[in-house]
């Protein structure tokens, strides 16, 4: 199936041709006003959905219980949700994507269904949907089926929510641990100190670039904040011991760090909710963070001088 580009909602304009009268007002935008393009987008997405349902059903029989996800048409989710009257939301905000719900499966056993868009996967064949987007009758029938499919609409709602909340999703990936244990936060003094360090470092980031914090947490050995940078993607900022610094791997696609005496400032992203450029911009904006920590008394000046050899 040809790749469908997310369309821009086009609303009609009522033009009054009567002489001497004020023109009629422009109609209030409505998702139904652009039903032609929205129907095509919805039909294409639903055809893909059915094909992916077939694929994951086959893989489940072979011991890989993946969840179907829209991949080829995920760029149109906002328009599709609007057309279907679906509110972007997730029933599991603590794990709004399949990889967070089943990290051992998605992050520990190789590639995911979404990564395998063609060819065989565990002996199952990915059959691309065959839908003629110029066949109005076929589109109408597919849309009608999609409108009655509660599972599909729930998936659209969740994927649309995830697209709107890159910082929250990035934050959750950064908190994943190999042993699946949650960060320990029973040392009040340590938690308070890391919160204060994070406040100072986050303020430095905000002074030097567009950095909109979204989610924050603190534990005994680190504190982290996730936010949206200028390109609109989610980035994680963490301060803590060197042992707890963010590192690239199956949980985060890329990570970087700055050492400030005993304090490690690290940043990370997880594709597709972050970009290399977004992380690089964040880390560049933190060049002055060590000086800020010295001024605030969190790092001794002579310790920092020893690190940099000055």
């Amino acid at each position: 199936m040809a790749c469908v580009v997310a369309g821009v909602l086009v609303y009609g304009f009522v033009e009054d041709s009567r002489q001497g009268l004020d023109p009629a007002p422009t109609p209030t935008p409505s998702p139904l006003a652009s039903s032609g393009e929205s129907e095509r987008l919805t039909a294409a997405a639903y055809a893909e959905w059915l094909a992916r349902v077939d694929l994951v059903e086959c893989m489940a029989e072979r011991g890989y219980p993946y969840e179907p996800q829209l991949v080829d048409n995920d760029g149109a989710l906002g328009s599709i949700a609007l057309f279907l009257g679906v509110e972007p939301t997730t029933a599991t905000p603590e794990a709004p994507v399949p990889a967070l719900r089943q990290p051992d499966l998605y992050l520990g056993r190789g590639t995911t269904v979404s990564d395998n868009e063609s060819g065989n996967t565990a002996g199952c064949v990915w059959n691309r949907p065959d839908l003629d987007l110029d066949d109005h009758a076929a589109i109408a029938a597919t849309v009608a089926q999609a409108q009655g499919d509660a599972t599909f609409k729930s998936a659209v709602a969740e994927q649309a929510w995830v697209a709107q909340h890159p910082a929250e999703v990035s934050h959750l990936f950064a908190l994943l641990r190999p042993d699946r244990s949650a960060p320990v936060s029973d040392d009040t003094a340590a938690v308070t100190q890391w919160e204060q360090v994070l406040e100072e470092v986050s303020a430095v980031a905000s002074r030097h670039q567009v950095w909109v914090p979204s989610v924050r947490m603190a534990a005994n050995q680190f504190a982290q904040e996730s936010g949206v940078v200028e390109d609109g993607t989610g980035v994680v900022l963490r301060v803590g011991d060197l042992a707890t610094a963010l590192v690239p791997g199956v949980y985060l696609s890329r990570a970087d760090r700055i050492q400030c005496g005993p304090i490690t400032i690290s940043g990370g992203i997880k594709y597709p909710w972050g970009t290399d450029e977004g992380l690089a911009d964040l880390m560049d904006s933190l060049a002055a963070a060590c000086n800020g920590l010295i001024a605030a008394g969190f790092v001794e000046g002579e310790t920092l001088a020893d690190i940099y050899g000055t």
Side-chain angles (χ1 to χ4, degrees):
M1 180 188 64
C3 203
V4 179
V5 179
V8 177
L9 295 180
V10 181
Y11 301 110
F13 178 78
V14 177
E15 187 176 300
D16 194 330
S17 60
R18 291 171 293 177
Q19 297 293 327
L21 297 178
D22 292 334
T26 302
T28 301
S30 164
L32 297 179
S34 58
S35 59
E37 181 63 14
S38 294
E39 284 179 349
R40 287 166 58 87
L41 294 172
T42 303
Y46 190 62
E48 178 193 349
W49 171 260
L50 293 178
R52 293 197 182 278
V53 168
D54 288 342
L55 175 61
V56 297
E57 286 179 352
C58 174
M59 293 191 70
E61 295 174 355
R62 289 160 171 75
Y64 293 85
Y66 290 111
E67 296 180 45
Q69 290 274 283
L70 292 168
V71 178
D72 295 340
N73 295 281
D74 62 345
L77 286 168
S79 297
I80 294 170
L82 183 63
F83 174 72
L84 292 175
V86 172
E87 183 72 25
T89 187
T90 174
T92 55
E94 72 286 352
V97 296
L100 290 169
R101 289 190 279 267
Q102 300 186 78
D104 289 322
L105 174 62
Y106 282 85
L107 303 176
R109 296 174 65 180
T111 58
T112 69
V113 167
S114 296
D115 296 324
N116 293 279
E117 298 180 30
S118 61
N120 296 334
T121 306
C124 298
V125 179
W126 160 238
N127 295 312
R128 289 190 173 278
D130 182 19
L131 176 66
D132 184 355
L133 294 177
D134 293 321
D135 186 334
H136 299 296
I139 290 175
T142 304
V143 168
Q145 188 177 356
Q147 290 172 326
D149 190 330
T151 303
F152 169 69
K153 290 194 290 188
S154 293
V156 169
E158 179 169 83
Q159 287 193 244
W161 184 91
V162 167
Q164 294 175 358
H165 297 80
E168 286 88 333
V169 180
S170 299
H171 185 84
L172 292 168
F173 269 98
L175 290 175
L176 281 176
R177 294 162 56 97
D179 61 2
R180 303 292 175 263
S181 62
V184 179
S185 306
D186 58 2
D187 186 337
T188 303
V191 169
T192 299
Q193 178 175 327
W194 287 126
E195 286 177 334
Q196 293 171 344
V197 172
L198 180 61
E199 183 70 33
E200 177 64 36
V201 174
S202 180
V204 171
S206 296
R207 287 196 295 269
H208 293 277
Q209 77 154 103
V210 176
W211 164 246
V212 183
S214 177
V215 187
R216 177 179 290 188
M217 68 81 59
N220 291 353
Q221 293 183 304
F222 71 91
Q224 77 175 36
E225 186 167 53
S226 299
V228 177
V229 293
E230 191 168 8
D231 66 3
T233 57
V235 176
V236 184
L237 172 62
R238 178 178 289 189
V239 296
D241 300 329
L242 178 59
T244 63
L246 299 171
V247 295
V250 294
Y251 302 120
L252 295 175
S253 307
R254 181 182 167 182
D256 203 350
R257 70 172 186 254
I258 299 172
Q259 195 67 39
C260 299
I263 296 176
T264 303
I265 302 171
S266 56
I269 58 171
K270 176 66 175 178
Y271 299 126
W273 304 286
T275 65
D276 288 343
E277 294 77 10
L279 177 60
D281 289 344
L282 176 67
M283 300 309 293
D284 287 346
S285 74
L286 294 172
C290 286
N291 291 333
L293 293 178
I294 292 174
F298 294 112
V299 175
E300 295 181 2
E302 59 269 28
T303 302
L304 194 61
D306 290 340
I307 291 174
Y308 290 108
T310 58

